[in-house]
Amino acid sequence: MSVSSRFLSFHLSIMTSSTVLKNGEKSKVSATNTRYPKRAAFEFYPTPPEAVRALLSVERFDGSIWEPACGDGAISKVLIEAGYQVVSTDLIDRGYGQGGLNFLKSTKPLAKNIITNPPYGTHGL
């Protein structure tokens, strides 16, 4: 199993669906959504610090890091604690980093490295 597969497996095994909206976010997912009725709004599932530390135990990064789906800063905070210079952005403003930036429409990266746990799906965006 590759390092990235182990990291993803570890992360998915400890994810929960108890995440709540912050800063007045409004879900664009209908309350009658029958396809994925228990998914968090905008697929917001903060990455546990243990998952980031597991990644850093097997990988080193040279230069700054862009976290383009920073959410509440879960990944960014661990990277900063580890001594990395981190640029944190997100489409949704959750009170951490710069909100309102859609990294999927960016024409150039904001740092040499990118580490993120992006949401999956479009959610009406």
Side-chain angles (χ1 to χ4, degrees):
M1 181 181 285
S2 72
V3 170
S4 59
S5 297
R6 285 192 307 259
F7 175 71
L8 181 60
S9 296
F10 172 75
H11 180 191
L12 292 177
S13 69
I14 57 179
M15 253 183 7
T16 68
S17 60
S18 61
T19 305
V20 296
L21 295 175
K22 296 183 180 180
N23 296 337
E25 292 174 5
K26 292 184 180 166
S27 172
K28 291 186 178 182
V29 179
S30 167
T32 60
N33 179 358
T34 57
R35 187 168 179 199
Y36 303 107
K38 296 181 181 182
R39 302 298 296 173
F42 300 105
E43 297 287 317
F44 180 54
Y45 298 98
T47 301
E50 300 83 16
V52 183
R53 286 192 287 271
L55 172 66
L56 294 177
S57 74
V58 295
E59 294 291 336
R60 298 284 179 256
F61 301 93
D62 180 38
S64 59
I65 298 171
W66 179 22
E67 210 302 40
C70 71
D72 62 2
I75 293 174
S76 297
K77 291 173 186 176
V78 176
L79 294 172
I80 291 168
E81 287 174 10
Y84 290 100
Q85 177 186 354
V86 181
V87 177
S88 303
T89 64
D90 203 311
L91 178 62
I92 307 298
D93 183 357
R94 293 189 171 88
Y96 190 90
Q98 176 189 348
L101 183 67
N102 184 346
F103 74 94
L104 295 175
K105 295 185 179 180
S106 296
T107 57
K108 64 179 184 170
L110 299 181
K112 184 176 179 182
N113 303 283
I114 297 174
I115 300 176
T116 195
N117 176 16
Y120 298 93
T122 62
H123 311 288
L125 298 175

